[in-house]
Amino acid sequence: MKSLLSTAALALTLAGPALAEPEVGFDRFDIRADHRSGLIAAGIWYPAGRATYAAPVGDSLVFEPVEAHIGAGFPEGDLPLILVSHGSGSSIDGTAWLAAGLAARGAMVVVLNHPGTTTGDSSPRRTVRLSERAADLSAALDHVLTDPQIAPHIDEDRVAALGFSLGGSTVLGIAGLRLDPEAYRAYCETHGEAAQDCLFLMRGGVDFATLPPEFSAEMSDPRFTSVVAVDPGFTYAATPESAAEIETPVQLLSLGDSFPWFATDVRSQGSGLVELLPNVEHDVVPNAHHYSFLPICKENAAQLLIEEGEDPICDDPEGWDRAAAHAASVAAIARFLKL
């Protein structure tokens, strides 16, 4: 199924200011994983069963926070579970708006930091070690399914993996998509620095002729019953054979119909992944672009980033509203996951 979503219509379904009295709870925890040398920082968002105290989550010099009841009680009954894989250079805090929005729709949402590709330690050479990120998600699922405080509230028949950008690549791997390193080498040789992903890796001296085995490893986890990939990367390297075998329902959510990022374009004009997956819904959020999936920027953030020489992550086109793009994205994902 392919659809173009109306930002205006979908935004109406997600009313209320970002910092209104929160409906959701949030708590932090750590994950032990055999493939990592240290603990993985994680957190969980959920509908607040009983309020505690409200506090901001994800506050920074650049981004607005989201408020939650810290350590609130869980509600009664089983909840669908969503595990979120952040994009390159993001973190638990960067996914707060998304997780809170889905928790307000009735989901339990686990967020985590991927070592080596998170805020402050995002390395081009570690970016291509995709199977480590997928293993992070599997370890997080292991953790919550055995946690005596969390596990009783999980509906194990409704476990989704959701990822943005590099996280989108990660969750597609969870679904069973495999990547061809030779295809990716040819893609970067052809498009060079014009492809946003290749440029980032080139800056780190990644040798496309010797990509690590973690780039193309098998990383599926059948416990995940659905997958949402938002502007996923690396799809030009997807093997048609692996895509054709994916039975898990997949939603591909593209940010923008007028300015799609070349590196994350899954349409036939891009990587063509939409045509390869047998059980896929492709939704498009108009009046959005890749950076629209980042948190709301503070008033002077764009100027601050210019002064620091950073990427224009707060520069939205004139007349576009990032909050509306957020609302449309949450509504689209919630519809697909039947929240």
Side-chain angles (χ1 to χ4, degrees), residues 217-302:
E218 203 286 325
M219 57 190 90
S220 62
D221 188 333
R223 296 176 296 175
F224 290 89
T225 59
S226 56
V227 163
V228 177
V230 183
D231 263 13
F234 294 141
T235 62
Y236 290 85
T239 67
E241 299 80 10
S242 68
E245 294 176 356
I246 294 176
E247 298 179 356
T248 305
V250 174
Q251 180 188 42
L252 297 176
L253 185 62
S254 295
L255 301 170
D257 54 343
S258 53
F259 301 109
W261 265 34
F262 177 75
T264 60
D265 190 354
V266 295
R267 303 171 303 168
S268 57
Q269 303 97 310
S271 70
L273 181 64
V274 169
E275 312 301 330
L276 298 178
L277 294 169
N279 191 6
V280 64
E281 293 189 18
H282 182 212
D283 297 315
V284 179
V285 179
N287 295 335
H289 61 161
H290 197 67
Y291 294 142
S292 299
F293 215 70
L294 300 183
I296 302 295
C297 294
K298 291 186 173 178
E299 183 177 358
N300 298 320

Side-chain angles (χ1 to χ4, degrees), residues 117-142:
T117 58
T118 192
T119 305
D121 79 339
S122 188
S123 162
R125 290 180 294 279
R126 297 180 71 181
T127 293
V128 292
R129 303 174 70 89
L130 274 178
S131 65
E132 293 180 348
R133 291 177 120 254
D136 293 341
L137 288 181
S138 293
L141 182 56
D142 291 339

Side-chain angles (χ1 to χ4, degrees), residues 310-328:
E310 293 291 335
D311 291 334
I313 58 176
C314 290
D315 294 351
D316 292 319
E318 185 176 356
W320 286 14
D321 183 348
R322 189 171 292 195
H326 283 183

Side-chain angles (χ1 to χ4, degrees), residues 5-13 286-287 324 327-328:
L5 302 173
S6 165
T7 300
L10 288 175
L12 293 175
T13 67
N287 295 335

